[in-house]
Amino acid sequence: MESTGDNSENIAEDQPESWENSAEDVVSTHSRKHPFDPLGKDHLILEVLGQGTFGQVVKCYNSKNDTFEAVKILKSHADVITLADREVRILKRLQCLDPEKSHIVKFNNFFFDKEGICLSFEPLDLDLFTYIYDVKGPPLNRGLALSEVRAITHQLATALHHLRTIDIIHGDIKPNNIMVVNRQEEPLKVKLGDFSTAQFCGNIDSNISPRTSCYSSPEVLLNCPFDEAIDMWSLGITLVVAALGTSFIPHNNTYDMLKFIINIMGQPPDHVLDNGSTTQDFFNEDINTNPKWTIKTVEQYEQETGTTALRYLDEGISFDDIKDEIISNIGAQSGVDLFLDLIQKMLDVDPEKRIMPLEVLLHPFFAVTEEKTEKDMGLSDQSSCFCREEEEDQARFKDIPMTH
């Protein structure tokens, strides 16, 4: 039996009574999913696209609508039901946005299968991580061309701008959660997906954290109160990864990540560190100095925690090293300096000073001189219509019942 979620607001209230099996039973059931299994009464699984902690993503054929869909199947036990309920509320809010203009993956609906909660999305080609490492990477792993990085930057800043108009924080921006629409198309078109850790700005739970911490901002790593500025930081890291063709922040432990960030972007100001519930795990405080916080030495951190830290981070790595590597990859062509300037503004360690999405879209990095590139990227008239789009989106949203 399939129960659609087209007119429902709450997964927890609508879940089938048959969901009384244990988490272990559900995991074993999900492990048997394979092509040509039915999913509800209208869907047929064609391909298993991925498997994660909470379930699977599969490509399906919807016989009722004669469409192909990407379906996220979530395990049907209590913890996941709570997470799924929050995610569906976010996805329903996103439906007030135009998925093409906002560069956000289109959510169709949710439905119940006897073995899980199913979220249906438009099918897209592949994620940006795969595009960078498997499609563009071999054999030299040189990263993306500057023209592709520029297109991706503009589209994802557009996505963040639209999220801001409806008070949503994505919370986990990284290449794996960015979908390439069609790898054969030029210019490259991407959409932001996976809103499983997204939150409403007015109801932030700091315990909901990204699953990939090397893309996390300092305020997230230190468990500080945060806002939508965390998405801009994660976008900046993502763009550097796209330009380099490789990850560049160590993710052995939080101490190493913080020390690396301090080396390349400077130490977060005291007003940020003061609000971190874990700041004292990584920093020493002396109220008689300015700044009053200093990061612990490797020796002190290892002695206190028993965790091994990376010694090479004491060797003076700076943003100039990242800059030189990017220039080495994509060449000293026109626009590289503007790209690096934009990255520095995205990676400001003070979230209050970090660049905003609309400011990104107005950055001179997009004022390209090549007429063909500008036309292909569709930049000529987009910035002038943002205010109009925001008004239209907000007007559409007023008619949609939504519970935070």
Side-chain angles (χ1 to χ4, degrees), residues 48-181:
V48 177
L49 301 176
Q51 178 112 19
T53 304
F54 298 113
Q56 293 177 300
V57 177
V58 297
K59 181 179 180 180
C60 287
Y61 173 67
N62 184 332
S63 58
K64 181 179 180 181
N65 298 332
D66 191 26
T67 57
F68 295 101
E69 301 172 4
V71 178
K72 182 178 180 180
I73 309 170
L74 300 174
K75 302 167 187 176
S76 52
H77 56 86
D79 291 343
V80 175
I81 291 171
T82 301
L83 295 173
D85 185 53
R86 188 189 71 242
E87 184 174 358
V88 167
R89 291 174 189 271
I90 293 284
L91 294 171
K92 281 183 168 289
R93 172 75 69 91
L94 292 173
Q95 286 181 322
C96 75
L97 300 175
D98 184 321
E100 301 306 315
K101 292 180 180 179
S102 64
H103 292 278
I104 291 171
V105 175
K106 180 183 178 182
F107 170 63
N108 297 320
N109 58 18
F110 73 89
F111 60 90
F112 297 113
D113 180 80
K114 61 183 178 181
E115 297 170 354
I117 308 161
C118 302
L119 310 181
S120 169
F121 301 89
E122 64 175 319
L124 298 172
D125 192 354
L126 75 169
D127 64 78
L128 185 61
F129 179 91
T130 303
Y131 184 78
I132 293 171
Y133 287 90
D134 293 347
V135 177
K136 288 289 185 175
L140 298 177
N141 294 318
R142 286 293 189 179
L144 305 185
L146 186 62
S147 59
E148 289 184 305
V149 174
R150 182 184 286 112
I152 291 171
T153 305
H154 193 282
Q155 292 167 40
L156 294 176
T158 299
L160 293 188
H161 170 76
H162 282 281
L163 291 183
R164 183 175 171 81
T165 66
I166 57 173
D167 297 325
I168 287 178
I169 301 171
H170 184 279
D172 195 20
I173 293 178
K174 58 184 178 181
N176 310 69
N177 291 338
I178 298 164
M179 298 302 297
V180 174
V181 176

Side-chain angles (χ1 to χ4, degrees), residues 213 215-222 226 229-230 233-234 261 354:
S213 54
Y215 291 87
S216 297
S217 65
E219 61 267 31
V220 171
L221 294 175
L222 293 168
F226 60 80
I230 67 171
W233 176 279
S234 299
I261 288 170
R354 205 168 294 153

Side-chain angles (χ1 to χ4, degrees), residues 324-367:
D324 292 343
E325 188 66 24
I326 289 176
I327 292 175
S328 174
N329 276 5
I330 61 183
Q333 56 184 291
S334 176
V336 173
D337 287 344
L338 291 172
F339 172 64
L340 292 168
D341 176 74
L342 179 56
I343 290 298
Q344 286 184 295
K345 289 177 168 63
M346 290 179 168
L347 300 182
D348 196 310
V349 292
D350 186 347
E352 295 179 4
K353 297 180 179 179
R354 205 168 294 153
I355 194 169
M356 305 290 284
L358 189 55
E359 293 175 316
V360 173
L361 294 167
L362 297 174
H363 192 275
F365 177 51
F366 303 108

